[in-house]
């Protein structure tokens, strides 16, 4: 018997005496995250409906499109270094790049809290006894990899630049003329903007930009930047969810337009 | 206006114990500690409860109220429903002494394991100067009243007694962070020690310590995560490690 049932502790047989609905938050988190994972997996393997030539829309799940199977309009200056066939397996362009955004979110300090609670129940909620007999935290493989969050953060910044570029080039009409705004271009812009907010509010960003300093007064510019990032950092959880929803919606929108189910409406 | 409320109070010691039901009068504006004192005065004369300031500043009356670690002196009776039974138990992460009193000496042992501030050798006492922006950073951590609610709620030790040997807990991570961020502290290897001796890597950032802190210290965001990032600088980031070797400095 360990934990709250250890022999030296007060003899209370309940795992928790909380009377509020503590299970609602982990249940909601689990439901939303698992829904996203299922949808993203389906889309990553679907390998079609990720680019609409007419509207210049590319799904954030497939950008940058690095496979030689990509439509030239969906690539970055025809840069397609990866073969679409690997060991007779038709490799989806999404699978080539998935590790970077996935790694960024998996190692994110906010998502760690949410999935440790909702998926691993370690603990399911505060002051609710967890079901595991032993616990080593993030000291061993594989969880020690969480310490690589900064590298995924840097990769995430590169992706943000590319997705911002994707949003900018969507402000064109079917003839390729600039200065036209469609629902699709707004959707991609929202997706890129929320991703920037998510990245800029990241704890690693806060550390890199000034948090690692021992002496703020000797580095006034970095202190100022750290102060701004700290303000964003207060809402990191919110940006994590907003960006997840915005990226998912952008993909759904591009899929629907690309498959012909929806028409991309142009405001002008 | 006074009304009767239902309480369930854990009574017992290290050999046995259980929840006892009691009905007690509560006046408007009273806190849970007030009604516990009334129970002690009128119905359970030998009820053991630790308290001191009744103002949320001494950290003595830490207990679990309806399963949540809280200060009894800062928990309004009116925050519960009129028909709701309020369940009061001792802290469940520490050995029980009697009734609502636990043995929190684990925390004092851990406090002794954290090396103290080390003053620069070239500065005489009184010569040290700090800018306000550097003071403010650690000021938040100095608000800690050592109620040990964060230590109690932390599942690393609450749910795993065996981890107490190797895990200092959130209260001492803020102490370590405060010292590591101190511009004048000259002790080397605080980051390494945080990871290897005080068990920083055991924390999985589920933020319960922050949720229960009565002083609203952002323990996770401002102390634990920054310390994890500082540890990553010296232990898990080859680029940063190489940079520190070339430039011969631990922090900036």
């Amino acid at each position: 018997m360990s934990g709250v049932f250890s022999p030296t502790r007060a003899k209370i047989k309940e795992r928790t005496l909380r009377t509020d609905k503590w299970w609602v938050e982990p249940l909601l988190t689990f439901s939303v995250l698992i829904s996203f994972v299922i949808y993203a997996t389906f889309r990553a393997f679907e390998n079609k409906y990720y680019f609409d030539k007419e509207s210049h829309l590319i799904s954030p799940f497939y950008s940058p499109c690095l496979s030689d199977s990509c439509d030239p309009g969906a690539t970055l200056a025809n840069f397609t270094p990866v073969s679409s066939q690997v060991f007779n397996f038709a490799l989806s362009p999404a699978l080539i790049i998935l590790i970077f955004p996935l790694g960024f979110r998996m190692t994110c300090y906010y998502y760690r809290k949410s999935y440790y609670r909702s998926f691993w129940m370690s603990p399911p909620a505060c002051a609710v006894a967890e079901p595991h007999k032993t616990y080593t935290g993030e000291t061993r493989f594989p969880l020690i990899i969480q310490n690589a969050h900064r590298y995924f953060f840097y990769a995430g910044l590169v992706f943000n630049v590319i997705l911002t570029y994707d949003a900018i080039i969507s402000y064109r009409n079917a003839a390729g003329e600039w200065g036209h705004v469609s629902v699709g271009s707004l959707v991609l812009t929202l997706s890129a903007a929320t991703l920037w907010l998510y990245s800029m509010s990241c704890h690693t960003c806060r550390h890199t930009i000034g948090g690692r300093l021992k002496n703020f007064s000797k580095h006034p510019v970095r202190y100022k930047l750290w102060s701004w990032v700290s303000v964003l950092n207060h809402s990191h959880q919110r940006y994590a969810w907003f960006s997840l929803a915005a990226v998912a919606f952008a993909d759904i929108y591009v899929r629907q337009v690309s498959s012909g189910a929806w028409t991309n409406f142009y405001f002008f | 206006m006074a009304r009767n409320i239902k309480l369930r109070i854990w009574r017992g010691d290290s050999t046995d114990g259980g929840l006892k039901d009691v009905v007690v009068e509560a006046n408007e504006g009273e806190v849970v500690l007030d009604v516990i004192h009334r129970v002690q005065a009128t119905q359970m004369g030998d009820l053991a409860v630790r308290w001191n300031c009744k103002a949320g500043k001494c950290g003595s009356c830490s207990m679990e109220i309806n399963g949540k670690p809280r200060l009894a002196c800062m928990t309004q009776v009116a925050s519960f429903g009129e028909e709701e039974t309020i369940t009061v138990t001792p802290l469940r992460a520490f050995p029980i002494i009697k009734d609502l009193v636990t043995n929190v000496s684990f925390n004092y042992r851990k406090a002794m394991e954290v090396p103290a501030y080390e003053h620069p050798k070239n500065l005489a006492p009184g010569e040290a100067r700090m800018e306000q922006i550097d003071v403010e950073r650690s000021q938040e951590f100095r608000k800690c009243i050592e109620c040990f609610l964060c230590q109690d709620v932390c599942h690393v030790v609450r749910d795993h007694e065996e981890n107490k040997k190797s895990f200092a807990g959130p209260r001492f991570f803020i102490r370590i962070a405060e010292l590591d961020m101190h511009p004048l502290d000259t002790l080397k290897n605080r980051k390494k020690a945080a990871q290897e001796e005080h068990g920083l890597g055991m924390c999985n950032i589920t933020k319960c310590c922050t949720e229960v802190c009565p002083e609203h210290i952002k323990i996770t965001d401002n102390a634990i995560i920054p310390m994890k990032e500082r540890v990553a600088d010296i232990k898990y980031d080859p680029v940063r490690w190489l940079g520190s070797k070339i430039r011969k400095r631990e922090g900036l």
Side-chain angles (χ1 to χ4, degrees):
Chain A
M1 298 290 268
S2 182
V4 290
F5 305 116
S6 297
T8 56
R9 316 247 185 121
K11 309 269 180 302
I12 299 168
K13 64 179 186 302
E14 288 87 354
R15 300 188 76 82
T16 183
L17 288 165
R18 283 182 63 166
T19 52
D20 57 332
K21 294 185 176 65
W22 57 264
W23 43 270
V24 170
E25 191 181 321
L27 184 65
L28 271 177
T29 307
F30 177 84
S31 306
V32 174
L33 285 181
I34 201 76
S35 305
F36 180 83
V37 167
I38 291 168
Y39 174 75
T41 307
F42 157 70
R43 279 293 284 151
F45 282 93
E46 192 179 30
N47 201 3
K48 57 183 176 180
Y49 305 136
Y50 55 83
F51 177 62
D52 186 69
K53 218 170 191 169
E54 294 269 302
S55 308
H56 315 282
L57 300 176
I58 180 164
S59 159
F61 285 12
Y62 283 81
S63 182
C65 207
L66 301 175
S67 163
D68 58 16
S69 68
C70 296
D71 184 292
T75 62
L76 291 171
N78 286 325
F79 181 62
T80 54
V82 185
S83 169
S84 59
Q85 287 290 326
V86 179
F87 303 118
N88 289 328
F89 172 71
L91 184 67
S92 156
L95 294 174
I96 301 165
I97 56 167
L98 190 68
I99 182 68
F100 299 105
L102 180 71
F104 185 39
R105 289 194 190 257
M106 287 290 284
T107 58
C108 162
Y109 287 102
Y110 166 67
Y111 281 111
R112 272 143 83 173
K113 170 199 161 186
S114 60
Y115 66 72
Y116 283 139
R117 282 196 189 190
S118 58
F119 282 73
W120 195 241
M121 294 195 286
S122 180
C126 302
V128 178
E130 61 176 63
H132 310 289
K133 285 192 177 141
T134 58
Y135 173 87
T136 53
E138 298 178 338
T139 57
R140 295 181 189 175
F141 184 81
L143 294 181
I144 202 163
I145 294 173
Q146 307 282 27
N147 289 297
H149 183 50
R150 57 190 56 193
Y151 292 109
F152 290 111
F153 165 71
Y154 299 139
L157 292 182
V158 175
F159 274 70
N160 289 353
V161 170
I162 294 167
L163 296 182
T164 305
Y165 170 76
D166 291 342
I168 291 169
I169 61 170
S170 70
Y171 286 86
R172 292 182 294 173
N173 63 11
E177 293 161 336
W178 288 93
H180 297 274
V181 178
S182 68
V183 174
S185 53
L186 295 181
V187 167
L188 292 192
T189 304
L190 181 70
S191 163
T194 53
L195 282 170
W196 276 113
L197 283 171
Y198 174 52
S199 299
M200 289 295 100
S201 63
C202 162
H203 293 86
T204 287
C205 177
R206 189 177 180 227
H207 171 76
T208 307
I209 216 149
R212 66 182 298 269
L213 298 172
K214 215 170 160 64
N215 210 326
F216 278 154
S217 52
K218 286 186 180 167
H219 304 270
V221 176
R222 288 182 71 180
Y223 169 67
K224 197 75 201 164
L225 292 170
W226 176 84
S227 307
W228 291 338
V229 171
S230 296
V231 172
L232 289 176
N233 183 254
H234 288 309
S235 304
H236 189 52
Q237 172 178 343
R238 194 171 302 142
Y239 298 139
W241 287 116
F242 283 171
S243 59
L244 192 78
V247 166
F249 182 69
D251 178 74
I252 291 169
Y253 188 84
V254 173
R255 185 183 187 280
Q256 297 302 88
V257 171
S258 168
S259 66
W262 292 354
T263 303
N264 185 30
F265 175 75
Y266 273 84
F267 296 101
F268 55 88
Chain B
M1 203 172 73
R3 65 182 171 96
N4 283 335
I5 62 164
K6 288 175 273 185
L7 277 183
R8 278 199 307 166
I9 302 177
W10 193 88
R11 307 266 348 241
D13 54 26
S14 59
T15 57
D16 204 5
L19 292 163
K20 308 289 178 205
D21 289 298
V22 60
V23 176
V24 64
E25 192 177 77
N27 297 311
E28 199 173 341
E30 284 190 329
V31 292
V32 170
L33 185 61
D34 291 322
V35 293
I36 289 173
H37 279 158
R38 188 162 298 119
V39 170
Q40 194 183 43
T42 59
Q43 302 176 52
M44 296 175 177
D46 60 343
L47 176 68
V49 55
R50 187 184 278 137
W51 67 283
N52 197 346
C53 76
K54 277 189 75 179
K57 287 295 162 199
C58 75
S60 301
C61 62
S62 298
M63 55 186 75
E64 298 194 9
I65 301 170
N66 279 0
K68 287 185 181 176
R70 305 180 77 161
L71 293 180
C73 72
M74 298 303 285
T75 307
Q76 291 276 338
V77 172
S79 64
F80 301 96
E82 291 208 357
E83 294 304 313
E84 192 174 352
T85 300
I86 303 171
T87 304
V88 184
T89 66
L91 300 176
R92 294 183 71 182
F94 305 119
I96 186 69
I97 296 177
K98 186 178 185 303
D99 301 336
L100 300 176
V101 178
T102 52
N103 180 350
V104 293
S105 57
F106 158 75
N107 301 293
Y108 302 119
R109 284 197 302 278
K110 291 296 167 186
M112 286 191 286
E113 290 171 10
V114 179
Y117 165 80
E118 202 169 281
H119 197 67
K121 288 192 172 49
N122 59 347
L123 278 179
E127 281 183 0
R129 294 290 179 271
M130 273 175 74
E131 296 288 331
Q132 185 60 30
I133 54 172
D134 293 319
V135 175
E136 280 166 6
R137 195 181 199 185
S138 56
Q139 206 74 25
E140 178 189 13
F141 306 140
R142 302 292 292 187
K143 290 194 300 179
C144 176
I145 58 172
E146 298 212 309
C147 60
F148 303 128
L149 291 179
C150 58
Q151 302 284 90
D152 175 62
V153 81
C154 180
H155 72 112
V156 180
V157 286
R158 182 185 177 91
D159 295 337
H160 302 281
E161 181 72 23
E162 67 281 6
N163 287 339
K164 282 185 177 172
K165 289 192 295 287
S166 52
F167 185 72
R171 190 277 168 262
F172 300 104
F173 292 145
I174 67 173
R175 174 73 179 144
I176 293 166
E178 178 200 335
L179 291 167
D180 199 58
M181 293 169 186
H182 196 299
L184 295 175
D185 179 49
T186 55
L187 187 74
K188 301 290 178 199
N189 294 326
R190 279 199 195 277
K191 303 169 190 55
K192 196 168 173 229
Q195 185 77 350
E196 294 174 5
E197 293 167 30
H198 305 297
L200 184 69
M202 305 277 273
C203 170
N204 67 346
I205 338 178
T206 42
K207 284 198 170 182
C208 290
C209 49
T210 304
E211 281 186 26
V212 301
C213 179
E215 285 293 316
H216 308 294
I217 301 170
K218 303 274 186 221
I219 301 172
T220 324
D221 287 326
N222 289 349
I224 295 179
I225 295 175
M227 282 311 297
K228 276 184 173 265
E229 285 294 311
R230 282 164 180 241
V231 167
D233 278 349
I234 59 156
K235 278 184 75 82
Y236 305 110
D237 186 339
V239 178
R240 184 72 75 190
W241 175 83
L242 192 63
S244 71
K245 290 294 166 197
I246 294 167
R247 299 168 83 179
K248 295 279 180 201
R249 54 183 178 177
E250 191 187 12
L252 293 172

